[in-house]
DNA sequence: CGTTATATTGATAGATATCAATACGGGTGG
DNA sequence: CCACCCGTATTGATATCTATCAATATAACG
């Protein structure tokens, strides 16, 4: 049964850490393989044969796909509790590359497993909904809204991990943030500057301190129109 | 075993019509409920309790979500063979509304079913990959690229349904197309006009005739930069 | 045939991209 | 310990694209 912290944090009754805990308690779970990944190293690469899903235990990852021009585009940012590799199920081949943003540790999950099986469709469905929300943001939101939402997302995740939601260190460059948000790095930088002028936050390079969470939330609304 | 047409059309070995055929052959399949939906009518609504998935048998659907402002945004366009309702699994509540664009017929699929169960994660994963591709297009592509890709997608689907890929009738208004592509209706109209001037296609209202498929494909590339 | 929704086209404004120059910062080697 | 260097970030000027506002035209429909 999901514990209180889980259900309140996730907003629904689908809590992966709980599921994992259950899974780990089964005989199968006893031999779940852990794996460590160093900062900058890939956990898996786009196109590689798919065999395992991974749950992030420690650290964070970015996922990316290669554009047809060879440029990499950042498609995701993942922390502790997130599942990586879901997009590999379709063709039994990874559809994205996952790279550790800091030294990290994952648990490998055999995807045909009695413990995970019943959870899998719901996990995937949740990802689907999230992706759509992200799409709506990127399509309908201004640069400011995108960056503000991104920062709120990071803050929320930091909080989940037990860190401050008010002050954190971005593990992505302006370039990578821009790629993730469909913006150029200069635009990301300008938005940061503007938010700083408005005393919504203070940034120094990748270090961010949120001064006015409410104002940040307000900035994440739709176009100024 | 998937037949040749299926695998060649889908580009992978995950073919829903085939899966359905298999499913229909099982004892469970014998009592699969069919349901007809009239043009303009919803198959299900966002927020409604989720219980069934639907496979489109005949006709086409749009799916949409309500923006916070009450405006509806088109998030999908579905034809024969597509599965509707996948986003409802996560919270056991539909996350989008599906509306028939013409008189349509669907088969209801109980989502906990021995026949469907093994297919479900892969179907979901495929949707995930598609959604991401769509996102990349909408974020990185010019208005022309978006419209061109949209038209190619329609053409491909028309072909799958046995119709001409060169000439077809759009079942969406400029407004709806714009909503789907993250553009304003005027922009969509202008792109159509431009493509017409370049003799890539001929449009008359919602009727489209593709004159130069190669040029259309070329237009679906990234920004003119 | 009139009436209304949809589509086209034009003029202009607003937002982000692009090009370019400068500033900062972290690490290395002198 | 300081100076230098290179990747990263900031800031400015301008270009480009799409949205917006507005008018007209066309199509759908009773």
């Amino acid at each position: 049964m999901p514990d209180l912290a889980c259900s309140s944090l996730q907003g629904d009754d689908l809590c992966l850490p709980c599921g994992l805990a259950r899974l780990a308690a089964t005989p199968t779970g006893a031999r779940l393989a852990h794996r460590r990944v160093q900062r900058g190293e890939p956990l898996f690469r786009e196109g590689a044969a798919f065999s395992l899903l991974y749950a992030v235990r420690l650290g964070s990852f970015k996922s990316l796909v290669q554009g047809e021009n060879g440029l990499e585009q950042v498609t995701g940012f993942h922390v502790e509790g997130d599942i990586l590799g879901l997009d590999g199920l379709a063709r039994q081949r990874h559809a994205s590359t996952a790279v550790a943003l800091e030294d990290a540790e994952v648990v490998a999950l055999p995807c045909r497993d009695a413990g995970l099986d019943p959870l899998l469709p719901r996990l995937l469905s949740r990802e689907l909904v999230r992706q759509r929300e992200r799409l709506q943001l990127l399509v309908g939101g201004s640069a400011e809204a995108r960056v503000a939402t991104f920062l709120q997302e990071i803050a929320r995740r930091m909080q989940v991990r037990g860190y401050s939601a008010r002050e954190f260190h971005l593990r992505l460059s302006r370039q990578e943030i821009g790629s993730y948000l469909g913006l150029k790095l200069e635009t990301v930088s300008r938005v940061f500057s503007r938010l700083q002028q408005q005393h919504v936050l203070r940034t120094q390079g990748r270090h961010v301190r949120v001064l006015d969470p409410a104002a940040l939330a307000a900035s994440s609304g739709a176009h100024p129109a």
Side-chain angles (χ1 to χ4, degrees), chain A residues 107-204:
Chain A
V107 206
L109 307 170
C111 45
R112 299 236 111 259
D113 178 287
L116 187 60
D117 249 32
L119 281 167
L120 207 46
R122 299 190 61 194
L123 269 172
L124 281 155
S125 178
R126 188 172 67 176
E127 273 310 301
L128 212 50
V129 174
R130 283 185 183 162
Q131 275 278 122
R132 180 161 63 216
E133 283 166 0
R134 202 166 105 70
L135 190 148
Q136 286 178 251
L137 172 69
L138 295 213
V139 163
S142 65
E144 195 167 305
R146 299 185 206 185
V147 172
T149 305
F150 170 73
L151 288 175
Q152 285 184 112
E153 197 180 309
I154 301 282
R156 190 180 50 75
R157 290 184 162 192
M158 284 317 213
Q159 199 166 37
V160 171
R161 295 171 71 187
Y163 296 104
S164 167
R166 291 298 204 92
E167 196 163 2
F168 45 83
H169 191 80
L170 296 172
R171 296 225 157 52
L172 299 169
S173 68
R174 300 289 187 264
Q175 158 98 290
E176 288 170 315
I177 295 171
S179 173
Y180 182 59
L181 297 177
L183 300 169
K184 292 296 159 184
L185 66 140
E186 295 96 326
T187 305
V188 175
S189 184
R190 279 185 236 274
V191 172
F192 277 154
S193 300
R194 216 177 309 150
L195 289 174
Q196 194 155 242
Q197 281 175 353
Q198 298 164 200
H199 306 288
V200 177
L201 47 84
R202 264 195 57 65
T203 65
Q204 191 175 342

Side-chain angles (χ1 to χ4, degrees), chain A residues 44-66:
Chain A
F44 52 77
R45 281 184 191 284
E46 184 177 353
F50 168 86
S51 57
L52 298 166
L53 294 170
Y54 299 93
V56 182
R57 268 273 201 238
L58 222 72
S60 54
F61 290 81
K62 65 175 172 180
S63 35
L64 43 93
V65 296
Q66 303 280 121

Side-chain angles (χ1 to χ4, degrees), chain A residues 1-19:
Chain A
M1 177 172 116
D3 64 57
L4 194 129
C6 281
S7 37
S8 63
L9 284 170
Q10 304 294 325
D12 60 49
D13 57 346
L14 184 61
C15 168
L16 193 75
C18 295

